[in-house]
Amino acid sequence: YRKAAHLTRERGDLRGAVELYERAVAEADQGPAEPRLRATIDLELGALYETDLGRIDQAMASYARAFKVDPDNAHAIDAGRRVYRVLGDWPMVARLYEVELETASSRDKRGEILVALGRLLAEKLKDWGQAAVRLEEAVRLRPHDVVAKEALASLYIAPDFPMAGDDEAQLGRAAHLFVELADERAARGDVEGQIAFLRRALGADPYHLDAATRLERAYLDAKRPDELRRFYRQGAPVPRRALKLAELAIDAGDADEATAALVEAHDEGDDTALVVERLEELLTQQKKWAQIAGLREQLVGDLQGRDRADLLVDVATHWQRAADGERFEGALLEALAADPVHPDAYHLLD
């Protein structure tokens, strides 16, 4: 009957095919048919009802019979799940994933099911906790599964994911997963993918030092000074950020940003001497004497005695070149306050 049903269906006689399939089912019920063969007949009948006749109710009845006689039949589970998806019955779809999970033997298959189930729980049922449990299990089963890692990390940073007392650890976990994904992209030579995942890591945890230093290195290796400069400008948590920003700003000819960044670097205790020289060369080329004076004024800091007076005299000469007599005189007076017998200060003041 099954073979005849095939031929009848191919000829377009759908009602006749249904009748022959029903007879095949009845015959299998009466004889010692193998469970897998019995289930296959029901699956074929269910597919006929579902795709050709649009009888979802009859299709589900056939799929249910197939699953009953052969519970390990993945095709029966998948067929039922497909229909429940069409009906929007998401709890039943999740239940069938759970059933399939119980019968799946290989780690790869279990991992695949867990990812699909985790996504369903989050997206359709809004069961965030169970979604995280299932996706964490998938990552443990398949540590190199990029789909599972990205799904889990994306879940943890989702706006609707409930924040608990350990939300910092949760976001840190997401950042760690994104860093692992970035490393995998880097190993494949995918620079764009690497940078994208590192940005997502910092989106999850803006103070993740590992992600920040890797992103910095990725920009350097890819020769992307503009993006690196923007990264530093946004407060990247990397060592000597302000000093590095000043250097890039000088390279770009942006004396204003370089000045502000250098002052910040100086205040943070970085050794700014070499970069100050570079900036002053740039400012000299641009004939920005007042800006040189202002920069040096801000770098006076806690200097005392002759050292402070020397620097203030130098500041005064630049105010003089900038034709700012008031600030010229003020710098010299401050120099004399630091060293009352400084000869250059007296000479210039006269």
Side-chain angles (χ1 to χ4, degrees), residues 85 97 110-121 135:
R85 279 185 181 278
Y97 273 127
R110 286 180 61 81
E112 181 183 321
I113 296 168
L114 285 165
V115 171
L117 176 56
R119 284 176 160 173
L120 176 73
L121 288 167
L135 290 172

Side-chain angles (χ1 to χ4, degrees), residues 22 50 118 151:
E22 293 286 5
E50 179 187 356

Side-chain angles (χ1 to χ4, degrees), residues 145-214:
D145 186 339
V146 296
V147 175
K149 285 182 181 179
E150 185 173 2
L152 179 57
S154 299
L155 176 68
Y156 281 143
I157 64 172
D160 293 332
F161 193 89
M163 291 295 179
D166 60 347
D167 57 322
E168 187 173 324
Q170 168 188 307
L171 294 175
R173 170 70 170 143
H176 178 75
L177 289 166
F178 283 134
V179 169
E180 288 186 357
L181 289 164
D183 287 346
E184 289 169 7
R185 291 300 180 95
R188 301 200 322 246
D190 181 0
V191 176
E192 294 297 335
Q194 177 195 15
I195 288 174
F197 276 124
L198 288 172
R199 283 174 173 167
R200 293 184 72 184
L202 288 169
D205 181 358
Y207 302 103
H208 198 285
L209 181 59
D210 193 22
T213 53
R214 287 168 191 252

Side-chain angles (χ1 to χ4, degrees), residues 33-215:
E34 288 289 328
R36 182 56 52 93
L37 175 60
R38 171 70 171 79
T40 299
I41 297 171
D42 274 314
L43 287 173
E44 291 176 1
L45 175 57
L48 175 59
Y49 274 126
E50 179 187 356
T51 60
D52 293 339
L53 297 174
R55 291 294 305 275
I56 300 300
D57 55 338
Q58 294 287 357
M60 282 306 304
S62 295
Y63 295 148
R65 287 198 305 267
F67 180 71
K68 184 176 181 180
V69 298
D70 188 8
D72 295 337
N73 192 317
H75 295 295
I77 297 172
D78 187 59
R81 192 163 52 224
R82 184 177 62 250
V83 172
Y84 282 124
R85 279 185 181 278
V86 172
L87 297 174
D89 190 340
W90 304 114
M92 277 304 300
V93 176
R95 174 58 190 146
L96 287 175
Y97 273 127
E98 297 281 5
V99 168
E100 189 175 10
L101 192 60
E102 293 170 5
T103 60
S105 56
S106 74
R107 294 171 66 89
D108 283 348
K109 185 61 178 176
R110 286 180 61 81
E112 181 183 321
I113 296 168
L114 285 165
V115 171
L117 176 56
R119 284 176 160 173
L120 176 73
L121 288 167
E123 295 169 9
K124 299 300 183 181
L125 298 178
K126 310 302 179 187
D127 190 342
W128 311 106
Q130 279 302 306
V133 168
R134 291 310 195 180
L135 290 172
E136 285 283 8
E137 190 178 348
V139 172
R140 281 194 298 273
L141 274 176
R142 302 199 300 184
H144 301 294
D145 186 339
V146 296
V147 175
K149 285 182 181 179
E150 185 173 2
L152 179 57
S154 299
L155 176 68
Y156 281 143
I157 64 172
D160 293 332
F161 193 89
M163 291 295 179
D166 60 347
D167 57 322
E168 187 173 324
Q170 168 188 307
L171 294 175
R173 170 70 170 143
H176 178 75
L177 289 166
F178 283 134
V179 169
E180 288 186 357
L181 289 164
D183 287 346
E184 289 169 7
R185 291 300 180 95
R188 301 200 322 246
D190 181 0
V191 176
E192 294 297 335
Q194 177 195 15
I195 288 174
F197 276 124
L198 288 172
R199 283 174 173 167
R200 293 184 72 184
L202 288 169
D205 181 358
Y207 302 103
H208 198 285
L209 181 59
D210 193 22
T213 53
R214 287 168 191 252
L215 183 54

Side-chain angles (χ1 to χ4, degrees), residues 11 42 45 47 88 116 136 140 154 193 214 218 229 231 239 250 255 259 273 290 305 322 327 337 343 349:
R11 290 199 306 268
D42 274 314
L45 175 57
E136 285 283 8
R140 281 194 298 273
S154 299
R214 287 168 191 252
R229 186 177 168 195
F231 181 50
I250 292 169
T259 300
R327 300 193 73 170
L349 196 56

